[in-house]
Amino acid sequence: MIANQEEKLRLYAQLLVHVGMNVQPKQRVYIRAMVEAAEFVHLVVEEAYKAGSEDVKVSYGDDRLAQLNLQYRPQEAFESVPQYVVDERMDYAKDGAAQLALISSSPENLKDADPDKVSAMMRANGNAFREYMRMMQSDQFAWTVAAYPSKAWAKLVFPDLSEEEAVDKLLDLMLYTVRANEQDPVKAWQDHNHTLHLKADYLNKKAYKALKYSAPGTDLTIGLPEGHIWCGASSVSAAGVEFMANMPTEEVFTVPHQDQVNGTVRNSLPLSYGGNIIDNFSLTFKDGKVVDYHAEVGHDILKGLLESDENAVQLGEVALVPHDSPISNSQTLFYNTLFDENASCHLALGSAYPFCLEGGKEMSDAELDAAGLNQSITHEDFMIGNAEMNISGITAEGHEEPIFINGNWAF
Ligand code: ZN
Ligand code: ZN
């Protein structure tokens, strides 16, 4: 355990409240977390009240309960989500409450569960929270995704350590990745935010028509829609409040054109999805759609993901992350997208963020679709970047310019 762990956790809680959600006086707060993280959640709740919130609601989940439910409930039980569960979260969302999703689940918590039930559950969740996702993806409220380690997760990352040592080590790493161990964490985030916005500004001025990826097993072209916006680090909510959607975050990202993806891409890090791991997989695209796929690990889970709905076979995000980044340099595989996506260039299957398109936040579904933005009940990032990846941008005149050389920024 590092010195002043308690102090660092307090700093982390303050970061989530002031930099992440940026809780405003009188604002309501909705937190989703796992029971294992309760002690830390109490710190976050206290900081949120100190920031002036008048109603901080915590909705707890439990990995063991999830396993038991999947073991004993019949298939039909996973085909829908009770309306009151949806209503609770929507009540806060419609009220502009700040939202925190604190991830702790073991990345393979559901590996022994029936894949059909898992797929049905993920699909039902996607459908039930479609409106919530739409509001979130257009920044109707401030939202933050962050993490706190559970024992099972820590043991998966550090199998050779004791449970307690593993949790301490994973927690230390998480605090490092969110800059909670810097002298002035808030200042560190301001600097980091500035750096990422500079990269996004450069790409926005270039307004490339397409990106070309090459790496071992990857030869892919991704068209970018007219009016696409590269984003990074902080976002601004409908109420005009700056917030950080992911902590940590190292990515600069935009929307791909849903019909202009061609070629093959291979994953570079395992993907944990629905409590299962998918690895050593490749996807082949034609005119935007996955037309062929293979996975050595988790093939059925990947199949379930691609069949979430008819648009889950199309891309909704393209993100650039240098191979030389804090998370990547920690040489730790977290088996969790929040961390692994920030160690590697990645793409997402599923819906595209409307805020990555000029005027997108105000567009109807039909308008977004016409502009080339995919819409789906799923949005799942998967990692494709490595030290051998080259990416170039294609200009309006058809010239090719380097964006990434050997896994790192070319500018
Ligand atoms: Zn991403
Ligand atoms: Zn994403």
Side-chain angles (χ1 to χ4, degrees):
M1 167 107 39
I2 46 175
N4 303 322
Q5 190 84 319
E6 224 180 283
E7 223 168 278
K8 282 183 187 174
L9 287 179
R10 175 67 68 178
L11 273 174
Y12 183 25
Q14 286 169 348
L15 275 178
L16 294 181
V17 168
H18 295 289
V19 177
M21 293 183 281
N22 195 3
V23 174
Q24 303 293 303
K26 296 194 188 305
Q27 190 182 21
R28 297 166 83 197
V29 175
Y30 190 79
I31 298 174
R32 282 179 290 144
M34 305 304 279
V35 283
E36 257 199 82
E39 267 186 66
F40 176 64
V41 171
H42 297 160
L43 293 180
V44 179
V45 170
E46 189 174 9
E47 291 300 330
Y49 279 129
K50 281 186 187 166
S53 176
E54 291 180 349
D55 172 13
V56 184
K57 165 78 184 172
V58 181
S59 167
Y60 279 118
D62 180 326
D63 274 355
R64 182 64 188 137
L65 280 185
Q67 288 175 346
L68 290 168
N69 290 342
L70 278 153
Q71 188 179 344
Y72 290 103
R73 286 184 186 171
Q75 172 81 24
E76 309 83 76
F78 297 96
E79 314 267 315
S80 64
V81 175
Q83 191 56 39
Y84 66 87
V85 175
V86 181
D87 290 346
E88 180 189 272
R89 208 192 297 176
M90 283 305 289
D91 183 63
Y92 283 83
K94 285 180 181 156
D95 207 21
Q99 312 253 340
L100 172 66
L102 193 67
I103 298 169
S104 297
S105 286
S106 165
E108 49 176 19
N109 185 45
L110 304 180
K111 71 165 184 239
D112 297 325
D114 176 351
D116 287 342
K117 287 186 187 173
V118 174
S119 293
M121 178 180 74
M122 299 300 284
R123 212 168 31 240
N125 263 306
N127 279 316
F129 291 104
R130 182 190 286 269
E131 175 62 9
Y132 175 83
M133 282 288 284
R134 195 195 60 75
M135 291 180 75
M136 189 177 100
Q137 295 188 344
S138 52
D139 294 339
Q140 294 296 305
F141 46 79
W143 55 280
T144 301
V145 182
Y148 188 84
S150 64
K151 289 177 192 144
W153 181 4
K155 275 296 274 184
L156 183 71
V157 178
F158 301 112
D160 300 333
L161 299 183
S162 73
E163 215 166 58
E164 200 190 341
E165 286 169 341
V167 169
D168 282 349
K169 185 155 184 193
L170 186 54
L171 181 57
D172 280 357
L173 263 179
M174 286 177 178
L175 293 175
Y176 160 73
T177 64
V178 297
R179 295 164 166 80
N181 56 352
E182 304 230 0
Q183 273 274 309
D184 183 347
V186 174
K187 169 81 167 53
W189 271 95
Q190 286 165 348
D191 293 347
H192 179 50
N193 192 22
H194 182 66
T195 306
L196 289 179
H197 279 296
L198 285 181
K199 297 288 183 201
D201 290 348
Y202 174 93
L203 291 166
N204 283 330
K205 278 202 198 85
K206 289 287 183 180
Y208 290 119
K209 288 272 174 230
L211 303 177
K212 266 178 83 170
Y213 288 74
S214 69
T218 293
D219 180 5
L220 187 74
T221 304
I222 299 178
L224 301 176
E226 218 178 295
H228 69 270
I229 300 171
W230 288 92
C231 304
S234 66
S235 314
V236 179
S237 74
V241 175
E242 194 174 21
F243 69 95
M244 210 63 71
N246 284 183
M247 293 180 85
T249 183
E250 302 291 336
E251 63 178 332
V252 173
F253 61 97
T254 191
V255 284
H257 193 294
Q258 60 181 350
D259 302 324
Q260 297 174 5
V261 184
N262 286 287
T264 297
V265 63
R266 186 196 285 173
N267 80 309
S268 59
L269 293 172
L271 166 62
S272 168
Y273 172 75
N276 282 267
I277 287 166
I278 309 170
D279 200 7
N280 298 333
F281 65 93
S282 66
L283 305 171
T284 299
F285 291 86
K286 186 164 190 320
D287 297 331
K289 289 188 167 64
V290 173
V291 289
D292 195 16
Y293 62 95
H294 300 277
E296 283 173 31
V297 179
H299 184 271
D300 289 351
I301 299 292
L302 176 59
K303 183 170 185 282
L305 167 57
L306 290 167
E307 290 173 356
S308 301
D309 63 14
E310 61 171 354
N311 292 341
V313 292
Q314 287 171 286
L315 295 182
E317 175 186 336
V318 14
L320 304 174
V321 180
H323 188 67
D324 182 12
S325 73
I327 298 173
S328 174
N329 293 343
S330 76
Q331 300 219 325
T332 305
L333 184 58
F334 287 79
Y335 296 99
N336 177 278
T337 302
L338 176 64
F339 293 89
D340 296 332
E341 72 160 335
N342 283 306
S344 168
C345 282
H346 56 271
L347 305 171
L349 286 165
S351 59
Y353 293 117
F355 58 76
C356 288
L357 187 76
E358 277 170 37
K361 286 187 194 182
E362 289 81 39
M363 285 185 186
S364 68
D365 283 0
E367 288 170 324
L368 289 170
D369 186 57
L373 270 67
N374 192 33
Q375 283 152 88
S376 165
I377 58 167
T378 194
H379 174 100
E380 201 55 39
D381 292 33
F382 61 99
M383 286 59 75
I384 62 165
N386 55 38
E388 290 157 286
M389 176 160 274
N390 292 314
I391 306 171
S392 49
I394 313 293
T395 65
E397 300 78 35
H399 299 304
E400 213 172 308
E401 297 179 352
I403 296 177
F404 263 53
I405 298 173
N406 294 331
N408 288 309
W409 291 108
F411 57 87

